Amino acid sequence: MPILENTLKSTLLAASIFWLFYIDHVYPSRIITYVLISFLPIFICCLMTISASIYPFFLIGGKSKIARQKTFTIYFPYYVMIAFSFSGVLLISTRFDPFILAFITSAFITTSQTWLWFTKQ
């Protein structure tokens, strides 16, 4: 499974979602600079998250399409429930800070989509 390909797609998706939510909080003259600089930390976060919490399930589950689909059906609902609960607690504890809201939203949507990308490969 091409983990690097999924990480790059996840980085683009996460950066797009993050900046859609957070673009109003940056001075217009600095937007392009911040967007370009943000790709490296977003890539690192995506790589660490995928490597630590998504890829191991598919590595253990098997390489065939049926095995990947079975892995998705077994583990994805629990993963989403735990991620959503953790995200909700973090958002409430930070009083819905705009940066944290943008980060959590992009992370949640991106990890859910990454599960789908791994399943469909």
Side-chain angles (χ1 to χ4, degrees):
M1 288 180 213
I3 190 168
L4 185 60
E5 178 185 333
N6 280 344
T7 305
L8 290 173
K9 288 193 290 189
S10 296
T11 301
L12 289 174
L13 179 64
S16 301
I17 294 169
F18 176 82
W19 285 109
L20 282 174
F21 276 94
Y22 200 68
I23 201 152
D24 295 339
H25 300 283
V26 178
Y27 294 113
S29 62
R30 297 183 181 169
I31 290 174
I32 293 174
T33 306
Y34 287 150
V35 169
L36 293 175
I37 291 173
S38 72
F39 277 106
L40 182 62
I42 291 173
F43 175 80
I44 292 170
C45 286
C46 286
L47 182 63
M48 288 175 21
T49 303
I50 291 170
S51 299
S53 69
I54 297 173
Y55 186 67
F57 290 106
F58 288 97
L59 193 62
I60 293 168
K63 293 185 179 184
S64 71
K65 186 167 180 79
I66 294 172
R68 289 191 311 265
Q69 290 173 347
K70 187 175 180 181
T71 301
F72 177 82
T73 350
I74 292 171
Y75 297 111
F76 179 71
Y78 300 111
Y79 184 89
V80 169
M81 285 187 276
I82 291 169
F84 186 77
S85 300
F86 178 72
S87 299
V89 168
L90 187 61
L91 284 173
I92 291 169
S93 67
T94 60
R95 296 184 182 143
F96 294 91
D97 177 53
F99 179 80
I100 300 296
L101 178 64
F103 179 81
I104 294 292
T105 305
S106 66
F108 184 77
I109 293 171
T110 302
T111 54
S112 298
Q113 184 61 42
T114 303
W115 273 85
L116 293 172
W117 286 329
F118 273 115
T119 303
K120 291 182 179 181
Q121 288 181 344

